[in-house]
Amino acid sequence: MTESQLIGASKEDIDTPALLLDLDILDGNIARMAALAADTGIALRPHVKTHKSPLIAHRQLAAGAAGVCCAKVSEAEVMVAGGILDVLVTTPVVAPEKIRRLISLARQATVGVVADDLRNVRNLSEAARAEKTTLDLLVEIDVGQHRCGVAPGPAAADLADEIARLPGLRLRGFQGYHGALQQVVDLDRRSADIRQALDLLLESANVARRRGHAIEVLTGGGTGSSATDIGFHGLTELQPGSYVFMDCNYSRIHWGPDGALVLFGNAISIWTSVVSCTSADRIVVDAGWKSASCDSGVPILKAIDGATFSFAGDEHGKLSVPEGTRIAAGDKVELVPSHCDTTVNLYDRYVCVRNGKVEALWPVAARGKTQ
Ligand SMILES: Cc1ncc(COP(=O)(O)O)c(C=O)c1O
């Protein structure tokens, strides 16, 4: 079947392995996050590292997002080329060649970047000044993740002082992101930890404001902290990524004090075929490590209760199904990935489905854009 013949075909006819995207669930997730943030005064700046697709970013903007976050300059280049004209790069950009590309983007769109290093800030200023452009700068603050970021409080304000002083830069505010808290399962625990991280960001903003800086942007947060961050009203911008697709790890977290699950639906899945079934305990599918990421565990099978998946090689996976399950070579099954971001990056395109029919093929345009 050619690519164009695929449009309108039934899901059963899609060759495997393939990355399916359920458009109804996608649109529902985008609408739900937009509704959470609506009328709160907190802007949504979704992180496109999850989907790497300008087409999906446009849907998020149409639902009210103020701009997008990108993890890397190359991802931002794909977004700007795709017509997304307000991007924040949420990882420091340090190499001279990347700084040059970032500045070139800043001439085409509103571009911001985070920084946590004085020399880096000076290099960014120099490059922006040489190209007669202005770059938005946000100080990245370590709010507990202990990855990138300057210490909260006076150290953050010191870097803000420098940025405000240097030509070619516009100090916009602070970023504080704590990824490790996003998937804390218990809502009360997660909320308490997020409050602590947010307080570090707010305290830093207060120090900088007392020094006369207009700290307009406080950006951070993700899917797991979204409802809590919005409730606390400390951030000016929220950066959720995974909510568009979700994955089985994220689906475990509680959204209500009573342990309520699933605020967002699983929009992507891996469509895979049984290629060998020589005995009841040898059910082999054509999806292995090259079709599903394994950094966060194994995918979960949709539709067959009690069945499990295990990796059995680069191109192979094994299913274990309850006794009596009817399954044979040629059958197709759907897996929910354990981590959406790293799984998406394994595919060239989304096969977009609605009500069991293929509606569109969308490229994963920023696939492999890790620079
Ligand atoms: C800086 C930053 N912001 C936001 C996100 C989005 O987080 P999530 O996918 O948990 O919504 C990420 C994800 O890694 C991130 O690194």
Side-chain angles (χ1 to χ4, degrees), residues 47 49-50 90 147 175 177 182 221-224 239-243 250 341:
H47 213 306
K49 72 193 283 291
T50 303
T90 60
R147 196 168 60 183
Q175 170 174 279
Y177 174 73
Q182 299 299 324
T223 300
Q239 309 182 346
S242 301
Y243 76 99
Y250 239 132
D341 299 32

Side-chain angles (χ1 to χ4, degrees), residues 6-56:
L6 249 184
I7 307 299
S10 114
K11 189 167 137 186
E12 279 304 317
D13 295 328
I14 302 167
D15 200 2
T16 62
L19 183 65
L20 304 183
L21 171 56
D22 186 307
L23 293 176
D24 284 335
I25 301 178
L26 170 76
D27 288 340
N29 289 345
I30 291 174
R32 212 158 293 131
M33 185 60 85
L36 270 183
D39 306 322
T40 62
I42 300 171
L44 277 185
R45 183 178 283 281
H47 213 306
V48 306
K49 72 193 283 291
T50 303
H51 55 69
K52 292 176 164 282
S53 159
L55 292 172
I56 297 176

Side-chain angles (χ1 to χ4, degrees), residues 232-293:
F232 286 150
H233 265 280
L235 296 177
T236 66
E237 262 186 18
L238 188 73
Q239 309 182 346
S242 301
Y243 76 99
V244 272
F245 295 158
M246 295 302 277
D247 49 46
C248 49
N249 261 331
Y250 239 132
S251 297
R252 292 173 309 127
I253 70 168
H254 299 171
W255 291 96
D258 52 352
L261 292 169
V262 193
L263 193 58
F264 301 98
N266 292 120
I268 54 166
S269 55
I270 299 154
W271 192 224
T272 178
S273 299
V274 177
V275 289
S276 173
C277 194
T278 52
S279 64
D281 63 352
R282 292 272 181 82
I283 306 165
V284 178
V285 293
D286 61 357
W289 287 301
K290 288 183 184 169
S291 304
S293 63

Side-chain angles (χ1 to χ4, degrees), residues 10-136:
S10 114
K11 189 167 137 186
E12 279 304 317
D13 295 328
I14 302 167
D15 200 2
T16 62
L19 183 65
L20 304 183
L21 171 56
D22 186 307
L23 293 176
D24 284 335
I25 301 178
L26 170 76
D27 288 340
N29 289 345
I30 291 174
R32 212 158 293 131
M33 185 60 85
L36 270 183
D39 306 322
T40 62
I42 300 171
L44 277 185
R45 183 178 283 281
H47 213 306
V48 306
K49 72 193 283 291
T50 303
H51 55 69
K52 292 176 164 282
S53 159
L55 292 172
I56 297 176
H58 278 295
R59 277 171 127 84
Q60 292 171 311
L61 292 178
V68 302
C69 294
C70 298
K72 299 295 181 79
V73 175
S74 52
E75 220 169 64
E77 286 169 337
V78 171
M79 290 300 140
V80 172
I84 308 296
L85 298 180
D86 189 333
V87 302
L88 169 66
V89 179
T90 60
T91 318
V93 175
V94 174
E97 170 57 16
K98 287 201 186 77
I99 292 179
R100 191 194 60 69
R101 285 164 41 200
L102 186 73
I103 299 298
S104 156
L105 276 187
R107 295 175 67 90
Q108 305 164 53
T110 302
V111 174
V113 68
V114 303
D116 64 3
D117 177 79
L118 182 56
R119 196 160 74 131
N120 179 217
V121 161
R122 289 184 178 146
N123 289 341
L124 290 166
S125 160
E126 195 51 47
R129 201 169 59 95
E131 288 299 316
K132 299 186 174 42
T133 190
T134 306
L135 196 59
D136 286 349

Side-chain angles (χ1 to χ4, degrees), residues 311-329:
F311 287 101
D314 295 346
E315 288 86 10
H316 298 93
K318 265 190 185 174
L319 305 184
S320 163
V321 298
E323 217 180 306
T325 305
R326 289 167 67 89
I327 191 156

